Amino acid sequence: MKLLGKHLDKDGSGYVTLRPDDDEDIWHLYNLIQEGDRVRASAVRRVQNVSATGSIESHRVRLNLTLAVARVTWSPSTAAAGEAASFSTDASTSTSAPAHAATLHISGRVTSENPHVKMGAFHTLDVEVNRDVRIEKDEGGWDSIALGRVEESCVPGRGAEVAAIVCGEGTATFCLLSQHMTMVMHRLEVSIPRKIAANSGAHEKGLTRFYSALFTSFLRHIPYSSPTIRAIVIASPGWVRDAVFDYIMAEATRTGNKALLSTRNKFIKVHVTSPHVHSLVEVLKSPEIASQLKETKFAREGIMLDKFFKMLGADEMRAWYGPVHVALAADRGAIGTLLISDDLFRASDPIMRKKYVQLVEDARQKNAEVLIFSSMHESGQQLNQLSGIAAILTFPLDVEVVEAEEREAKEEEERRKQAEENGEDVNAG
Amino acid sequence: MSRHRDVRNINVADELDDGAVSDGGEEDLSPQEYEQLMSGLDHIRATVGSQEQSGLSDKEIKDTLYHYFFNVEQSINYLLEAQTRKIAARERKAAKEREKAEKLAQQKKAAEASAKLPPAKPKKATGAKLSGASTPVRSTDIRQLDLAGLNLDDETVLPIDEPPPKITVAREKVLEEARKQLEGNADKKTVSLVVIGHVDAGKSTLMGRLLYELGRVDDKTRKAHERASSKIGKSSFSWAWELDGTTEERERGITMDIALQSFATPRRQITILDAPGHRDFIPNMISGASQADCALLVVDAAVGEFEAGFERGGQTREHLLLVRSLGVSQVVIAINKLDQVQWSQARYKEICKLLRPFLIQSGFHPSKTKFVPVGAMAGVNLVARDGDEAQALNAWYSGPTLCDLLDELEPPTRDLDAPLRFPVANVFRTPSSVIAVSGRVCGGLVQVGERLRIVPGDETAVVKAIESEEERLEWAAAGSNVTLHLTAVDPRHITIGSVLCPPTDVVPLVTSFTARIIVFDIQVPITAGTSVELFHHSRDVPASISKLLATLDRASGTVLRKNPRSGEKHVGRGANYTSQHNRFWPYSPSTTDPLRAILCQQGNGEDSHSSWRRDNRSRYRNRIELSL
């Protein structure tokens, strides 16, 4: 993403103009734009003119509109298209359109005067790649989280990507992992008859069919020769990954695909326990991947989430989750690592957002490590289900003891208040 | 009441009366001790059975536990001893008044047990009985079923409100016949057996050799396997090749998927499912185990090998827990490769001693666990114990051979009146290019000509033929492992894991449900959001836990804690699961196909299984969303 203009006041109001470059930038915009912001972007609108004679003339106008945001919707690029594509559809030779089409729709009322559109009319903006967007926020809108995201998204050359094929016998899922997103490009399912003792012809035929379908999908969906792809991971239980890798290489040699052959050393084979997409978490924390991608955000997320769960198993008093509990831990300065999902910052309630921003800022001030998980990754989705916020504490704290303390403090407060009131009564009397 | 009473001389009836009024001696226990006591009680109850079955009252168990300072194993041993002693004592001194009440129950039990033994009947040819189903009457039956299968009435809404299907004459006849066969009037009872154990324990080799000994494999194939396996330098795997059919399995010398074979012992027709031992293929093993009635555990006796399989992370332990939670209660333990330890009796005893407490802990009743020493490669003690190889074993072992033990396996009771449930374990084309599905009939009956609904999906298929052991059948009843040939269906509508059921009684599909789970040995506790894999029959669905509702007491089901933060080890709990990606999961709420499935926690490698059982109580049932 490119930062084209920025004008901020001290009170956190102002605007930022951005130009998204790819799908991931669209995701960033989705996380930046809150309800109530004003967004200016180019739009196409059908305008009707009624002439003096009463005839109606309608034409499309491209114009810049400013909206007061009422609703933002995001749909990831290929998840819908690739869902449950079976072998039969895949085998057809039709070349599908390039899969980059993450979309962001912003709807709301028009707030700026315009010759074509009336003030207060509704419009829905489609945010597209390479079209400028200006986001204007009210006082306090540009908090540290929002600015952090702008900064992060505008760092050039951040696009270290990993392609992953999670496969089992007969199933394969092709994914692209970038800093903030996991995109499921394609799902492949080929039914393979299971072996019948001593007669394995059908089984082996099914396997060959599966490998060749996998190879064609691989060519179509994985941009293996792209320089931004750091690694191509083949993950599976059993030995499917070896067979898949051997098949891909053999086919590349047979067809003389030099580009593919030259990427041979990018391939990493990882053992996982299940052939489903959620074992991507397992991929990211495997030593082979962790050593290669240590500095990338998503690998770090995977490792930290794993650490949290291990802590939960080993020492329950040092692993807390849930907004209420984490807030209590923060009050006591106990947070060592804060794991928080970006989902929470998208809360439509600005007070809620402010609360979480405060929590993150406090934690940072106390030298705690803060990881903002992207809910477009598997690890982020797992965190989301765990209420979206979790913390590894620096020292053990018993949830029940802390809750009891809180209760006591509250009662104390009430008693004092009551006493004060009584005292006033006495004084008054 | 004194704390140090003599547990051996307890008057049971008095104690029971006493216990009903007050909890007696438990009052002066600390809460911790009480908890230990209760958990111990549950453990023991799970092993010895309920009060009526075992003749042991809660009170007795509690006292024993107290006596042994809550050591479960010792207590179980003592109680089991006491149980046998009681039976013996009863026979001796029948006049004794105070044991009267208990005695009655015991006698009744004994009577029941003797009734269960199959009456020895003269043998008859197997085929004659099966071909009896009358064909002419069936046509009406088909028409009705066809009508139902046309989806004229909107059955997708809810099948509950529909009138029950009319039972035609043919159906009744078949039912009667099936019942006769199951009651033991037929020549041989059928039992299916899953072979489990740690990787390289010799499961496939044992099975290959056993098939050979029983004459199921001819010398020609055996020689061919011997030659081919020594060609690639794996001559020690030649016996396993009978079951490991694929090139990859043979090259790696490892079983990767279930192999199905069958053989006959004098009194049983046994279907064996040879399961893979490698932990990456646990899903396949579960698929096999859910088709089996009994289990054969193969243990490697070689020094270090047994320990490797039995330690944490070894499959000996894991498989036993899995098959038990899938409802298998009879297990035969074959201690293999004793030839590698010079047929040492000490080693055999040592292994038995290590395994026994674990089996009891896992919930196998000692009377249903049998041990047998074998040497699979040489074929010692499989069917017979003769020849030079067996000399060393004959010196100290005179018990039954493996085959004798398999001959004694008791098939569980089958429910024929339940609606048909046929989970598909394999889909393939026969050489004549007919679509065939194999699997086990989990409940009810299936007949040739019947129209069946395929779930999930909206398709139906007609059963063209039923095949078992290369023999054509007219019908198949619950408990049999068969292959169905289907027509009038596109093969892509059937996948491994689909369920075939009557169009009038469709299995409901769910995307989320409330279940009670039992957590085994896990490293990372379960929390809301934990990704799990759900295995049920041959289906394998990614899912996640949406909420932990409560931590439950394992036996009584009382709520210990509501909304727990995480699930600790070894505690049963109610939890709510949601399947991801909108993948439907067919399941049947009938009692015939007990809803046991295995959940496998993601990414923790070994030892991370938990099993769950959906609660049959209505308050849980109401929670399940039905969607179709």
Side-chain angles (χ1 to χ4, degrees), chain A residues 36-222:
Chain A
D37 294 352
R38 284 171 303 285
V39 173
R40 186 171 180 81
S42 76
V44 178
R45 190 164 167 104
R46 196 166 62 96
V47 179
Q48 283 187 334
N49 286 326
V50 183
S51 70
T53 56
S55 64
I56 298 171
E57 189 191 9
S58 157
H59 52 257
R60 288 171 176 276
V61 192
R62 183 168 276 279
L63 71 177
N64 277 319
L65 282 180
T66 309
L67 302 182
V69 179
R71 204 182 51 172
V72 191
T73 49
W74 148 267
S75 55
S77 52
T78 48
E83 192 82 42
S86 69
F87 171 56
S88 52
T89 56
D90 186 68
S92 63
T93 45
S94 68
T95 45
S96 56
H100 289 280
T103 51
L104 183 64
H105 299 294
I106 305 163
S107 47
R109 285 176 189 275
V110 176
T111 57
S112 62
E113 200 68 60
N114 195 292
H116 299 291
V117 189
K118 277 184 196 140
M119 282 267 278
F122 266 100
H123 191 85
T124 301
L125 287 173
D126 296 340
V127 177
E128 288 165 25
V129 169
N130 291 329
R131 295 223 185 273
D132 300 357
V133 180
R134 196 179 78 171
I135 306 166
E136 198 176 333
K137 284 180 188 286
D138 284 335
E139 191 183 329
W142 290 107
D143 49 35
S144 61
I145 300 291
L147 287 175
R149 195 171 264 277
V150 170
E151 208 167 295
E152 196 181 341
S153 64
C154 294
V155 176
R158 76 204 134 76
E161 288 186 334
V162 172
I165 312 167
V166 184
C167 46
E169 213 161 82
T171 63
T173 315
F174 298 84
C175 314
L176 269 184
L177 286 83
S178 56
Q179 211 71 310
H180 290 89
M181 289 208 289
T182 300
M183 278 184 288
V184 175
M185 309 296 287
H186 186 64
R187 284 179 209 273
L188 177 74
E189 245 170 77
V190 177
S191 66
I192 300 174
R194 294 169 79 169
K195 75 162 187 191
I196 303 164
N199 171 25
S200 59
H203 175 76
E204 253 136 61
K205 227 187 257 170
L207 268 184
T208 347
R209 207 151 40 96
F210 169 59
Y211 291 144
S212 70
L214 193 143
F215 183 68
T216 44
S217 313
F218 175 81
L219 292 184
R220 193 173 304 151
H221 296 286
I222 303 290

Side-chain angles (χ1 to χ4, degrees), chain A residues 194 204 238 271 274 321 382, chain B residues 247 257 280 426 531 533 565:
Chain A
R194 294 169 79 169
E204 253 136 61
H271 178 264
S274 102
Y321 67 86
Q382 273 191 24
Chain B
T247 355
D257 206 346
D280 274 359
N426 191 11
S531 305
E533 247 184 294
R565 263 173 22 102

Side-chain angles (χ1 to χ4, degrees), chain B residues 333-547:
Chain B
I333 295 125
I335 307 207
N336 192 14
K337 303 197 189 176
L338 273 170
D339 46 338
Q340 291 187 13
V341 289
Q342 286 75 48
W343 297 102
S344 147
Q345 188 181 10
R347 179 67 177 162
Y348 174 72
K349 285 214 165 135
E350 184 195 348
I351 290 172
C352 291
K353 210 179 131 204
L354 282 167
L355 275 171
R356 253 189 207 115
F358 180 71
L359 283 162
I360 292 172
Q361 251 177 43
S362 326
F364 289 98
H365 195 278
S367 71
K368 287 183 173 177
T369 43
K370 300 264 162 52
F371 290 85
V372 60
V374 294
M377 282 290 274
V380 178
N381 206 20
L382 298 183
V383 178
R385 254 195 325 273
D386 35 23
D388 305 336
E389 280 273 6
Q391 289 302 324
L393 179 63
N394 275 331
W396 55 268
Y397 185 79
S398 58
T401 61
L402 174 63
C403 204
D404 294 340
L405 286 180
L406 296 184
D407 201 34
E408 283 167 17
L409 291 174
E410 271 302 318
T413 47
R414 325 264 193 205
D415 193 349
L416 296 176
D417 300 319
L420 172 70
R421 297 290 180 257
F422 187 86
V424 175
N426 191 11
V427 185
F428 57 97
R429 274 179 187 280
T430 57
S432 51
S433 198
V434 179
I435 299 145
V437 294
S438 68
R440 182 154 100 127
V441 184
C442 280
L445 270 172
V446 60
Q447 271 176 280
V448 171
E450 210 170 337
R451 185 176 280 276
L452 298 176
R453 173 77 182 272
I454 302 156
V455 179
D458 209 8
E459 297 295 317
T460 57
V462 177
V463 180
K464 195 181 171 198
I466 301 173
E467 197 182 311
S468 168
E469 339 281 330
E470 285 144 27
E471 220 178 289
R472 289 293 173 103
L473 306 176
E474 282 297 318
W475 52 268
S480 45
N481 297 67
V482 291
T483 302
L484 306 181
H485 293 189
L486 302 177
T487 54
V489 68
D490 192 318
R492 77 171 127 178
H493 296 308
I494 315 174
T495 51
I496 292 167
S498 301
V499 176
L500 302 184
C501 53
T504 48
D505 201 339
V506 179
V507 181
L509 294 166
V510 297
T511 50
S512 71
F513 56 93
T514 307
R516 180 201 273 205
I517 33 171
I518 299 162
V519 182
F520 296 146
D521 213 2
I522 53 168
Q523 285 161 352
V524 175
I526 291 175
T527 56
T530 307
S531 305
V532 291
E533 247 184 294
L534 183 74
F535 298 105
H536 184 229
H537 292 298
S538 303
R539 200 163 193 82
D540 160 12
V541 190
S544 62
I545 294 167
S546 52
K547 192 176 184 327

Side-chain angles (χ1 to χ4, degrees), chain A residues 161-347:
Chain A
E161 288 186 334
V162 172
I165 312 167
V166 184
C167 46
E169 213 161 82
T171 63
T173 315
F174 298 84
C175 314
L176 269 184
L177 286 83
S178 56
Q179 211 71 310
H180 290 89
M181 289 208 289
T182 300
M183 278 184 288
V184 175
M185 309 296 287
H186 186 64
R187 284 179 209 273
L188 177 74
E189 245 170 77
V190 177
S191 66
I192 300 174
R194 294 169 79 169
K195 75 162 187 191
I196 303 164
N199 171 25
S200 59
H203 175 76
E204 253 136 61
K205 227 187 257 170
L207 268 184
T208 347
R209 207 151 40 96
F210 169 59
Y211 291 144
S212 70
L214 193 143
F215 183 68
T216 44
S217 313
F218 175 81
L219 292 184
R220 193 173 304 151
H221 296 286
I222 303 290
Y224 51 88
S225 54
S226 150
T228 57
I229 294 279
R230 281 262 287 274
I232 302 169
V233 178
I234 306 177
S236 84
W239 290 283
V240 181
R241 59 185 180 283
D242 296 326
V244 165
F245 175 70
D246 292 345
Y247 189 89
I248 288 175
M249 281 306 142
E251 276 299 291
T253 320
R254 197 177 62 81
T255 53
N257 189 338
K258 286 221 177 87
L260 182 51
L261 283 173
S262 67
T263 59
R264 192 186 181 99
N265 51 5
K266 277 192 193 172
F267 281 88
I268 305 174
K269 289 179 273 184
V270 180
H271 178 264
V272 292
T273 48
S274 102
H276 303 293
V277 190
H278 57 194
S279 57
L280 273 178
V281 179
E282 220 177 312
V283 170
L284 291 182
K285 68 182 190 216
S286 67
E288 299 99 315
I289 295 294
S291 61
Q292 275 232 353
L293 306 168
K294 211 177 281 163
E295 73 280 23
T296 59
K297 185 171 142 51
F298 54 87
R300 182 109 194 99
E301 285 171 11
I303 291 163
M304 264 311 171
L305 192 66
D306 185 42
K307 208 167 156 192
F308 172 78
F309 280 122
K310 286 222 173 101
M311 188 60 92
L312 196 61
D315 186 359
E316 211 192 325
M317 292 190 189
R318 285 185 59 194
W320 284 26
Y321 67 86
V324 179
H325 287 166
V326 173
L328 288 178
D331 284 349
R332 282 158 182 73
I335 292 181
T337 315
L338 181 67
L339 296 80
I340 185 163
S341 158
D342 57 9
D343 214 24
L344 296 180
F345 298 115
R346 280 200 304 274

